[in-house]
């Protein structure tokens, strides 16, 4: 199935952008045949352990039943599964065409869409929580999710992933003009889960979008969190927090595509690694197009390596097509515990393990506060503590 | 009781050219309730002495001993030394991002005492300590040393000194970088600590200025990794007038 609805066409044609040839973001297409099965040599796949993806990147069935989704629907918001023409019309609603085989396949093959609709001028005070619980990691499936925030609406959507499953997902987010949207995606999978996902957001004029990617569990978790802008004045805050244990591969990629003037993107991703062959990848892509004058962007990735045998890859990429920008910067750092910090704390009587615990909590605390959803903040503090118990605090009674 | 005895302490630090000896036999006894000032030029090893007593991993003890009330300090880990009653106020306090001052103080107090402080009195004690050092009550919510001014860092060190209540405090150039008002506030804090029963202080400084506010019982001139001369507070006045030249030339001729 190739999607060529008018809404998509018009969205794509609305802002004719200059073509930027770049290996970082291959041109999109709805036609699955345009996307070869990746071999692992492609720039966008070179870090991902394809063999562990259970074929999700290639031709694994996407119609398996391996998850159970449940949700609340707080007053003001509509949550439900749509099918048929309605689902078809939502394919590419974020104004984007798939740039990978698995995303093209999901748009073409997955018949249903989980749709969250927040009507215009509606403020939903309680977070809209969608729980996705995996039931079988040997079965593969695909999912299409659309989160639509109407003009001047305000809401928080939490996607909470637990259990065992092999899932490929496309999450399209439409943040209409003046809306204030938060999307939190928690990957708290069981050890054998595989999760390949692409989150694509279109941020309207003067709208603000906060996206928080939180990854703790799963064998392989890869998420691309992308943003484009539908008008001037939009801003995006891309947050990420991850904790990789022995053998885990956790990969986060962001792409802030500044397609409109006076837009902002601010990304902060922080991760900790512990245990043999814990591997994290962060690739931060920012493209400032010719049209995007007066924009501001800053991206930052920090990794804390807690034990030997871990690998953290961290790559910020900034492509600038215009000189007329307010500010653009990036920072990346990967380090072990700072001996001076530990010495300072220990010199106040605090044991080495307790000092390490303080430092790790401190490392994440500011970021956790930025997520801005109290129930999630508490859960994250507890999760960090639980992760620490596996290694750093093992010898503490 | 609080008696710190340093005997023939030798310390090396690893450099690109191999280990380099910094302390070359330091002997010093701080009796119960005494304040000793150690004065010396840059590079004489004053700070190395402070950090070696506290147990910084950068320094290797190659000889000698340090005891606190008869207990061998050098066999203890850094945190054990602090729990035994040693406190080092650092010249360059370290930033600990994401850890609030109040959390840090409570964690340290709990570690030192072996039990969590009683909440109601503790909050009062912390607020009083901060206020006496002219630190805003919101100071507790800030991250440890992050974005602190030079003066705030030093005042925070002295607030810790008063709250953690060690037996012996080693103050490493606590006066450096302070304007006169801040110096007075910090000195008053140190004097409040000294007024408590049996507290020892080892005050390491480059300048005589702080000795106008904190009066030492003994003054030692520290040159080339050891004590070159000892005396009463008149020795500080002499150093103020004549500088370290006399001691430097003596060291050079050895």
């Amino acid at each position: 199935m190739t999607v060529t609805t008018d809404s998509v066409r018009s969205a794509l044609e609305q802002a004719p952008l200059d073509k930027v040839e770049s290996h970082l973001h291959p041109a999109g297409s709805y036609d699955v045949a345009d996307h070869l099965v990746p071999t692992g040599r492609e720039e966008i796949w070179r870090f991902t352990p394809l063999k562990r993806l259970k074929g999700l990147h290639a031709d694994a069935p996407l119609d398996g039943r391996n998850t159970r989704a449940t949700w609340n629907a707080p007053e003001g918001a509509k949550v439900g599964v749509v099918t048929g023409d309605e689902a078809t019309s939502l394919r590419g609603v974020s104004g984007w065409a798939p740039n990978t085989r698995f995303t093209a396949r999901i748009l073409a093959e997955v018949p249903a869409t989980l749709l969250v609709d927040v009507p215009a001028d509606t403020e939903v005070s309680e977070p809209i929580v969608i729980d996705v619980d995996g039931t079988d990691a040997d079965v593969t499936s695909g999912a299409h999710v659309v989160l639509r925030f109407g003009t001047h609406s305000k809401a928080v959507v939490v996607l909470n992933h637990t259990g065992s499953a092999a899932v490929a997902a496309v999450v399209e987010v439409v943040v209409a003009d003046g809306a204030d949207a938060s999307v939190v995606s928690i990957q708290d999978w069981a050890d054998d889960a595989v999760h390949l996902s692409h989150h694509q957001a279109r941020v309207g004029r003067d709208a603000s979008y906060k996206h928080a990617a939180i990854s703790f569990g799963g064998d392989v978790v890869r998420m691309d969190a992308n943003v484009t802008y539908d008008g001037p004045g939009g801003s995006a805050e891309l947050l990420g927090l991850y904790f990789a244990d022995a053998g885990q591969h956790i990969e986060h990629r962001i792409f802030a595509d500044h397609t409109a003037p006076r837009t902002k993107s601010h990304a902060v991703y922080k991760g900790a690694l512990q245990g043999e062959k814990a591997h994290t990848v962060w690739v931060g892509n920012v493209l400032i197009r010719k049209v995007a004058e007066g924009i501001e962007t800053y991206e930052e990735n920090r990794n804390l390596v807690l034990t030997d045998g871990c690998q953290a890859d961290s790559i910020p990429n900034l492509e600038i097509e215009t000189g007329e920008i307010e500010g653009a910067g990036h920072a990346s750092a990967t380090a072990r515990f700072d001996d001076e910090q530990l010495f300072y704390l220990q010199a106040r009587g605090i044991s080495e393990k307790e000092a390490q615990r303080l430092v790790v909590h401190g490392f994440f605390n500011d970021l956790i506060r930025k997520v801005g959803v109290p129930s999630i903040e508490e859960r994250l503090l507890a999760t960090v503590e639980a992760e620490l118990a596996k290694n750093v605090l093992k010898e503490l009674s | 009781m609080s008696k710190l005895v340093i005997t023939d302490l030798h310390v090396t630090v690893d450099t690109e050219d191999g280990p380099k000896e910094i302390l070359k036999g330091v002997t010093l006894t701080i009796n119960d309730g005494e304040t000793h000032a150690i004065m010396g030029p840059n590079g004489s090893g004053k700070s190395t002495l402070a950090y070696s007593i506290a147990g910084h991993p950068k320094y290797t003890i190659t000889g000698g001993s340090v005891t606190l009330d008869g207990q061998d300090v050098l066999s203890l880990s850094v945190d054990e030394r602090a729990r035994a009653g040693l406190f080092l106020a650092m010249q360059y306090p370290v930033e600990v991002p994401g850890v609030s001052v109040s959390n840090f103080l409570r964690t340290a107090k709990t570690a030192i005492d072996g039990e969590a402080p009683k909440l109601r009195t503790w909050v009062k004690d912390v607020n009083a300590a901060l206020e006496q050092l002219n630190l805003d009550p919101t100071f507790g919510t800030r991250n440890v040393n992050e974005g602190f001014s030079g003066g705030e860092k030093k005042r925070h060190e002295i607030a810790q000194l008063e709250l953690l209540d060690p037996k012996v405090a080693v103050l490493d150039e606590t006066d450096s970088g302070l304007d006169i008002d801040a110096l007075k506030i910090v000195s008053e804090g140190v004097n409040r600590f000294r007024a408590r029963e049996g507290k020892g202080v080892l005050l390491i400084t480059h300048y005589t200025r702080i000795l106008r506010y904190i009066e030492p019982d003994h003054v030692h001139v520290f040159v080339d990794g050891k004590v070159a001369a000892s005396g009463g507070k008149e020795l500080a006045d002499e150093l103020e007038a004549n500088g370290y030249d006399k001691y430097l030339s003596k060291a050079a001729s050895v």
Side-chain angles (χ1 to χ4, degrees):
Chain A
M1 184 178 75
T2 313
V3 180
T4 51
T5 63
D6 288 345
S7 68
V8 170
R9 281 270 153 101
S10 63
L12 288 172
E13 285 163 10
Q14 194 178 341
L17 293 164
D18 46 308
K19 262 214 169 84
V20 177
E21 297 291 340
S22 170
H23 64 287
L24 294 173
H25 23 80
S29 162
Y30 289 98
D31 189 350
V32 175
D34 287 343
H35 302 280
L36 299 176
V37 174
T39 63
R41 285 188 295 276
E42 301 79 3
E43 177 58 31
I44 61 167
W45 289 106
R46 68 186 174 105
F47 291 108
T48 314
L50 298 177
K51 283 193 182 125
R52 286 156 66 187
L53 290 180
K54 309 206 170 177
L56 288 173
H57 64 296
D59 293 307
L62 296 179
D63 58 354
R65 287 176 183 273
N66 62 354
T67 54
R68 241 188 339 255
T70 52
W71 51 83
N72 66 345
E75 207 181 321
K78 268 199 311 198
V79 186
V81 175
V82 298
T83 54
D85 287 348
E86 193 178 359
T88 306
S89 72
L90 292 169
R91 305 298 148 114
V93 71
S94 60
W96 151 91
N99 60 341
T100 54
R101 186 175 179 88
F102 84 92
T103 53
R105 282 189 65 215
I106 287 169
L107 264 52
E109 295 175 24
V110 175
T113 293
L114 177 61
L115 173 66
V116 175
D117 236 328
V118 181
D121 302 312
T122 304
E123 192 163 318
V124 183
S125 51
E126 198 187 325
I128 302 158
V129 181
I130 297 160
D131 287 302
V132 178
D133 191 32
T135 52
D136 191 343
D138 293 325
V139 175
T140 53
S141 69
H144 184 241
V145 178
V146 170
L147 313 175
R148 203 157 50 183
F149 301 84
T151 51
H152 298 292
S153 68
K154 183 177 181 180
V156 176
V157 176
V158 178
L159 302 168
N160 184 33
H161 303 93
T162 54
S164 293
V167 179
V170 169
V171 177
E172 296 192 67
V173 184
V174 181
V175 185
D177 294 353
D180 181 348
S182 290
V183 175
V184 181
S185 184
I186 302 172
Q187 288 65 244
D188 194 9
W189 295 104
D191 290 346
D192 56 354
V194 175
H195 191 200
L196 192 56
S197 66
H198 183 112
H199 290 205
Q200 183 72 38
R202 184 171 58 156
V203 178
R205 183 184 183 107
D206 299 326
S208 44
Y209 172 57
K210 183 190 284 188
H211 182 272
I214 295 156
S215 303
F216 290 105
D219 177 47
V220 180
V221 171
R222 171 177 165 157
M223 178 188 290
D224 291 49
N226 294 5
V227 179
T228 61
Y229 299 84
D230 207 20
S235 85
E237 185 174 20
L238 306 174
L239 305 175
L241 191 163
Y242 47 90
F243 211 126
D245 294 335
Q248 270 188 308
H249 177 93
I250 296 182
E251 178 168 351
H252 284 283
R253 288 166 176 262
I254 59 162
F255 179 25
D257 188 353
H258 284 272
T259 46
R262 297 186 304 286
T263 50
K264 286 182 189 170
S265 63
H266 191 112
V268 184
Y269 272 67
K270 285 187 170 187
L273 299 86
Q274 60 181 359
E276 203 60 38
K277 297 210 161 75
H279 188 197
T280 66
V281 178
W282 178 83
V283 180
N285 292 322
V286 175
L287 171 60
I288 305 168
R289 294 184 189 257
K290 211 171 201 134
V291 62
E293 293 189 353
I295 69 104
E296 270 180 66
T297 178
Y298 188 77
E299 53 170 352
E300 176 183 353
N301 174 229
R302 298 195 184 278
N303 295 295
L304 191 54
V305 179
L306 304 181
T307 68
D308 290 334
C310 311
Q311 188 182 337
D313 289 295
S314 178
I315 303 172
N317 293 309
L318 186 55
E319 292 175 89
I320 305 176
E321 306 280 325
T322 173
E324 302 296 319
I325 53 179
E326 281 296 313
H330 60 71
S332 161
T334 297
R336 291 174 172 275
F337 279 119
D338 180 334
D339 288 341
E340 295 302 324
Q341 273 178 8
L342 295 181
F343 174 75
Y344 185 74
L345 296 169
Q346 285 177 264
R348 299 300 177 249
I350 299 166
S351 70
E352 183 180 11
K353 296 281 168 192
E354 184 67 16
Q356 290 178 339
R357 180 178 165 271
L358 270 182
V359 169
V360 174
H361 273 291
F363 176 74
F364 285 124
N365 273 353
D366 293 354
L367 182 62
I368 287 174
R369 264 181 240 130
K370 279 190 187 152
V371 172
V373 184
S375 58
I376 289 178
E377 290 178 27
E378 274 168 43
R379 177 172 164 196
L380 290 180
L381 291 172
T383 309
V384 168
E385 189 68 23
E387 289 289 340
L388 283 171
K390 292 178 191 168
N391 252 292
V392 170
L393 300 181
K394 213 158 50 180
E395 290 144 46
L396 269 188
S397 55
Chain B
M1 237 201 19
S2 61
K3 185 176 181 182
L4 184 72
V5 180
I6 303 165
T7 310
D8 196 27
L9 188 66
H10 289 257
V11 171
T12 63
V13 63
D14 283 331
T15 68
E16 280 175 16
D17 309 321
K20 183 178 178 224
E21 188 168 55
I22 308 283
L23 299 188
K24 301 171 179 174
V26 179
T27 297
L28 195 64
T29 297
I30 300 173
N31 285 306
D32 214 28
E34 287 181 353
T35 295
H36 290 233
I38 289 191
M39 305 196 58
N42 287 330
S44 59
K46 303 187 300 285
S47 285
T48 300
L49 177 62
Y51 279 85
S52 300
I53 295 170
H56 194 285
K58 188 175 144 192
Y59 302 102
T60 310
I61 313 286
T62 54
S65 69
V66 178
T67 62
L68 178 62
D69 292 340
Q71 186 182 15
D72 176 12
V73 166
L74 299 179
S75 66
L76 302 176
S77 64
V78 176
D79 48 309
E80 286 168 341
R81 294 179 198 203
R83 293 200 293 273
L86 280 172
F87 180 88
L88 170 62
M90 299 190 198
Q91 186 180 1
Y92 302 110
V94 183
E95 290 181 10
V96 190
V99 177
S100 70
V101 167
S102 56
N103 184 18
F104 164 66
L105 292 175
R106 195 179 54 244
T107 306
K109 186 66 176 171
T110 303
I112 298 267
D113 289 358
E115 59 176 356
K118 293 213 168 42
L119 196 63
R120 205 194 296 159
T121 49
W122 175 244
V123 171
K124 229 187 273 173
D125 289 349
V126 170
N127 287 341
L130 295 178
E131 197 188 326
Q132 283 180 315
L133 288 158
N134 208 12
L135 292 165
D136 200 80
T138 61
F139 195 75
T141 64
R142 293 173 66 184
N143 291 335
V144 174
N145 292 317
E146 208 176 47
F148 289 13
S149 69
E152 283 174 332
K153 282 182 184 170
K154 299 298 173 71
R155 284 183 276 153
H156 178 227
E157 294 291 287
I158 301 306
Q160 293 170 51
L161 169 67
E162 292 194 69
L163 288 165
L164 300 180
D165 194 31
K167 291 177 175 175
V168 175
V170 180
L171 310 178
D172 185 21
E173 306 215 13
T174 296
D175 53 333
S176 68
L178 294 183
D179 63 30
I180 198 73
D181 291 333
L183 182 66
K184 279 182 187 165
I185 290 168
V186 161
S187 301
E188 282 163 14
V190 175
N191 285 331
R192 282 193 297 272
F193 172 72
R194 290 171 68 211
R196 295 177 195 173
E197 179 79 28
K199 302 296 183 187
V201 173
L202 184 59
L203 182 69
I204 293 172
T205 182
H206 185 77
Y207 306 101
T208 54
R209 190 174 65 143
I210 194 171
L211 303 182
R212 284 178 224 149
Y213 304 99
I214 302 171
E215 194 172 306
D217 302 301
H218 299 275
V219 174
H220 309 276
V221 182
F222 206 76
V223 178
D224 194 28
K226 55 188 166 195
V227 175
S230 295
K233 61 178 195 290
E234 73 285 348
L235 186 53
D237 299 332
E238 191 220 306
L239 286 172
E240 168 118 359
N242 304 324
Y244 295 109
D245 286 355
K246 177 170 126 191
Y247 302 100
L248 286 172
S249 52
K250 208 201 278 179
S253 66
V254 170

